Amino acid sequence: MPETRSTGQEVQSEILDMVRKSQEAVVDAIKLLADAVQSITSSIPTPNLPYSDKLPKPEEFVASGYDFAEELLSSQRKFAESLYEAIKPLLGAKNGAAAKKGATK
């Protein structure tokens, strides 16, 4: 069994590494695009939209979304752990019943 666990951890590590590298590539591409667009649009005046000061700033929007996702994931983990605890007696009873059936008197 330890081999399966380490293999699983290796696969997870490789996946996370691939995700990180692809994210870095996307960020680099977006930086290049933003620089190109900024050089073209720097002379265009920025419109003053009504109530734009009431909108969340982009960094606040991102932080809020991830805070929500963290709470949701935490809630789902607690739910899954509670479900496991609820069925745990059945798992033990099944193993215990099988052991009792096979036992000789």
Side-chain angles (χ1 to χ4, degrees), residues 8 12-13 15-16 24-25 31 34 36 41-42 44 51 55-56 63-64 66 68 70 77 90-91 96 102:
Q12 289 177 357
S13 179
I15 290 171
L16 291 173
E24 288 173 358
K31 282 180 184 177
T41 61
S42 60
I44 300 173
Y51 304 107
L55 295 172
S64 174
Y66 275 94
F68 173 72
E70 286 175 9
R77 181 179 185 154
L90 295 175
L91 298 174

Side-chain angles (χ1 to χ4, degrees), residues 18-71:
M18 287 188 319
V19 168
R20 182 187 51 77
K21 286 179 182 178
S22 65
Q23 289 171 338
E24 288 173 358
V26 169
V27 168
D28 290 344
I30 294 297
K31 282 180 184 177
L32 289 172
L33 179 64
D35 289 343
V37 170
Q38 184 180 16
S39 68
I40 296 169
T41 61
S42 60
S43 61
I44 300 173
T46 306
N48 189 9
L49 301 173
Y51 304 107
S52 62
D53 58 329
K54 306 285 186 214
L55 295 172
K57 293 182 176 24
E59 60 272 15
E60 294 170 343
F61 184 73
V62 169
S64 174
Y66 275 94
D67 289 344
F68 173 72
E70 286 175 9
E71 288 181 40

